[in-house]
Structure formats: structure tokens, C-alpha cells
Amino acid sequence: MLKIAVILGSIREGRFGPAVADWLLDHLHQRDDMSADLIDLAETPLPTVLPVLGQPPASQEDRDLLAAVSPRLAAADAFVIVTPEYNHSFPAALKNAIDWHGVEWQAKPVAFVSYGAFSAGLRAVEQLRLVLAELHAVTLRDSVGLQHPWAQFDGDGKALDPAADAAAKVMLDRLAWWAHALREARTARPYTV
């Protein structure tokens, strides 16, 4: 069973992200090869002041906030980042969560479900690929982009366009392949930077 951390990147009031995350979680719950752990950054806020590079957080409060997220990222075999596009990029809270962690991302696959008005959040994903490459994560080519997501779901949270469900299946199938391959590789030969 692969452990998939689903990271919900938006913390904005009135955000649409939970609806998108719930739709994705429904897909994950239908699989018998994956378990999902939703890390909602609005519910698990992280400190916003980073310590000196290489140093632990100074305060117990900061350590407690990190303890609600860091072990869950470390335990994950793979990640799916659910992100909106804000001003042609991704949310600051998501960048903060990424920056607080290093080894947790290394040699693990990352898939994306993005949403936004005209671009379907794809500009946010392109920037995330650059950031995560620096942390030695492996980003997947196949992702899901939801254009005008507010009109993409019915009252039960189901996608109105079957192409969205098909894209989610392809993405999760690819994520499973990469998660198995990289987990086996990390077990046989630990990844070092």
C-alpha cells in the first residue's frame, strides 16, 4: 500500500480547494493500492519565519506546528499537491510548507491537481516543478488542471466532465508506478544529496 500525502495549498477564506481535494480523495479511496493523508495547510499552519539554514526551529511552538506536518510528509511514498493559481503562481503558504522541508521530498514523486480561471492553474504547476526539482523530488508529467472549477462539479462533488475523472485516473496510475519504483530504489540504495 502506497502512502499518498495530499497537500491542500490554499489557505484563503472562501477557497474552493476543499471541493477539489475531496474529489481527488474520492478517487484515491476507490483504489486498493493507495491510502491518502490530507494535509490541509489551513488546518495545519506552519511557522512563517525560517531559522538559519541548517538550524532547528528556536521555539517550542514552532516545533509543535512542524510536528503536525513533518512526520506525515516523511512517511509519504508520494505526494499530490492541490493548488490554485494566485497571480500567475502558487500560494505563499504552499511555498512555506515546501521550504520547511528538505529530505521529506527527496527521491519521491509529486503529482499536481491545479485549478484556476483561464489557465486551470497550470502556471502555478510549472513554477512548482522548478522548486521541487531543487529539492530532488520527481514531478510527474501527467497532472489534472481544472479550468473554471466552480462550474466543474455537481452538488455531490462529482466532476461534470468525464475527462477530469479520466485525467485523475491516469495521473494516479503514473504516480503509483513512480512511487513503487522510487520506494524500491530508496530501499536498495538510500538517496543522498
Side-chain angles (χ1 to χ4, degrees), residues 124-147:
V125 170
E126 290 306 311
Q127 292 180 27
L128 281 164
R129 291 182 193 286
L130 296 172
V131 171
L132 291 162
E134 179 63 21
L135 295 168
H136 299 262
V138 177
T139 61
L140 272 63
R141 175 202 175 275
D142 298 287
S143 62
V144 178
L146 300 169
Q147 187 178 40

Side-chain angles (χ1 to χ4, degrees), residues 56-184:
S59 75
Q60 184 61 47
E61 180 182 358
D62 287 355
R63 289 191 293 275
D64 291 343
L65 290 172
L66 286 162
V69 174
S70 301
R72 295 162 68 188
L73 294 179
D77 295 303
F79 307 96
V80 180
I81 294 177
V82 177
T83 185
E85 181 178 310
Y86 294 161
N87 300 320
H88 289 218
S89 189
F90 54 95
L94 180 53
K95 180 67 161 72
N96 188 50
I98 292 168
D99 287 348
W100 268 107
H101 300 92
V103 296
E104 292 85 355
W105 302 108
Q106 290 175 2
K108 293 181 183 179
V110 183
F112 303 98
V113 176
S114 63
Y115 58 97
F118 298 108
S119 72
L122 297 179
R123 293 176 289 213
V125 170
E126 290 306 311
Q127 292 180 27
L128 281 164
R129 291 182 193 286
L130 296 172
V131 171
L132 291 162
E134 179 63 21
L135 295 168
H136 299 262
V138 177
T139 61
L140 272 63
R141 175 202 175 275
D142 298 287
S143 62
V144 178
L146 300 169
Q147 187 178 40
H148 297 290
W150 314 273
Q152 296 287 336
F153 298 95
D154 66 18
D156 295 324
K158 305 292 184 200
L160 296 173
D161 183 356
D165 291 322
K169 181 181 181 331
V170 168
M171 179 192 71
L172 292 174
D173 287 347
R174 299 275 195 272
L175 187 65
W177 190 94
W178 279 102
H180 280 294
L182 291 172
R183 183 170 68 182
E184 291 167 11

